[in-house]
Amino acid sequence: MRALGTGMLIAVAFCAQAQDKRDVLYQVSTIDALLSGIYDSVATVDDVLDQGDIGLGTFDAADGEMMVLDGVVYQATFDGSMNVMPPSTGTPFMAVTHFVPDRVLDAPELENFAAFSAWLEGHLPSRNIAYAVRVDGHFANITYRSVPRQHKPYPPLIDVIRNQAVFERKEVEGTLMGFWCPTFMNGVNVAGLHLHFLSADRSVGGHVLNVSLKDAKVGIDDTNGWDVQLPMVPAYLNADLGADQGSDLKNAEQGGALPDASAH
Ligand SMILES: [Zn+2]
């Protein structure tokens, strides 16, 4: 990674076997750094795409939600538009893997995110590794959000979320992509299920707050490695990341403290 040439590398191999590089969850920065308001780019999306073709993240200055699908980086902006982003685009947080599903399942009708998450967890062979998840299908209902570009001094993410734009679509085709991570990854990534949405016509998308599955195929890709690039920038190095930000994370990622879920 050019932008992190002097960066610190933590590679965690969960087994003693020679590791397939394609089964690594690769990320730049940490979710706690993002929660703390560290929104300056630490890598270009081109750098990160070397490590995977599916994933999620955000952009410099927290400018919207990122979807990575089939190696293409999409930006869902606060005003509801969608852009395909060039390789030079910067990111403060991005997680990807090379998607090769270990199992593809037909999901039953599932009425909300919690029901889908519980169903998915019932099909995971272990709760102690991370998985990339790709859901292609028809959604009876989906609620998703994006966030506005921030200005310095950057506020913490929980304050950004208070001004999020929430969108809802009914009877829509599309793809959900993201990760299920074990509890012990909390703080570095999001424990549990974290998904972003991209419509089949590539016109809308964002961070998934709720979804009702009608007819969907679910691909699950086991990852047995975790590669975290920590940003060697003052904003990160000088941040106080010692606190447990679990409740802020829950509010920020799962919409637990939405002031107003009205559609924009
Ligand atoms: Zn998200």
Side-chain angles (χ1 to χ4, degrees), residues 97-189:
T97 193
H98 294 285
F99 193 70
V100 183
D102 291 280
R103 61 199 67 80
V104 179
L105 307 168
D106 288 311
E109 289 192 19
L110 293 161
E111 65 178 339
N112 56 38
F113 190 89
F116 174 55
S117 182
W119 175 86
L120 181 80
E121 288 177 0
H123 290 86
L124 301 179
S126 168
R127 298 178 73 94
N128 300 332
I129 62 170
Y131 303 87
V133 178
R134 174 175 176 157
V135 183
D136 292 285
H138 186 97
F139 309 113
N141 203 343
I142 185 160
T143 309
Y144 54 96
R145 69 108 190 278
S146 189
V147 292
R149 181 179 184 85
Q150 299 299 301
H151 303 282
K152 291 183 179 180
Y154 290 140
L157 191 63
I158 194 69
D159 291 340
V160 175
I161 299 303
R162 287 186 223 286
N163 298 310
Q164 69 186 351
V166 177
F167 306 90
E168 187 175 4
R169 286 281 190 284
K170 294 186 187 306
E171 307 300 343
V172 64
E173 306 277 333
T175 300
L176 313 180
M177 77 292 300
F179 300 94
W180 186 98
C181 293
T183 305
F184 65 79
M185 285 168 74
N186 211 0
V188 183
N189 207 302

Side-chain angles (χ1 to χ4, degrees), residues 182-203:
T183 305
F184 65 79
M185 285 168 74
N186 211 0
V188 183
N189 207 302
V190 178
L193 187 59
H194 178 197
L195 295 172
H196 286 191
F197 164 64
L198 182 63
S199 64
D201 65 4
R202 307 293 191 250
S203 67

Side-chain angles (χ1 to χ4, degrees), residues 65 194 196 207 253:
E65 304 283 352
H194 178 197
H196 286 191
H207 170 101
E253 295 302 318

Side-chain angles (χ1 to χ4, degrees), residues 52-90:
D53 55 12
I54 192 170
L56 49 71
T58 187
F59 297 94
D60 190 64
D63 189 9
E65 304 283 352
M66 178 194 291
M67 285 71 63
V68 183
L69 190 63
D70 299 327
V72 179
V73 175
Y74 299 87
Q75 177 197 36
T77 61
F78 180 61
D79 66 6
S81 59
M82 182 70 68
N83 303 306
V84 173
M85 302 306 281
S88 60
T89 304

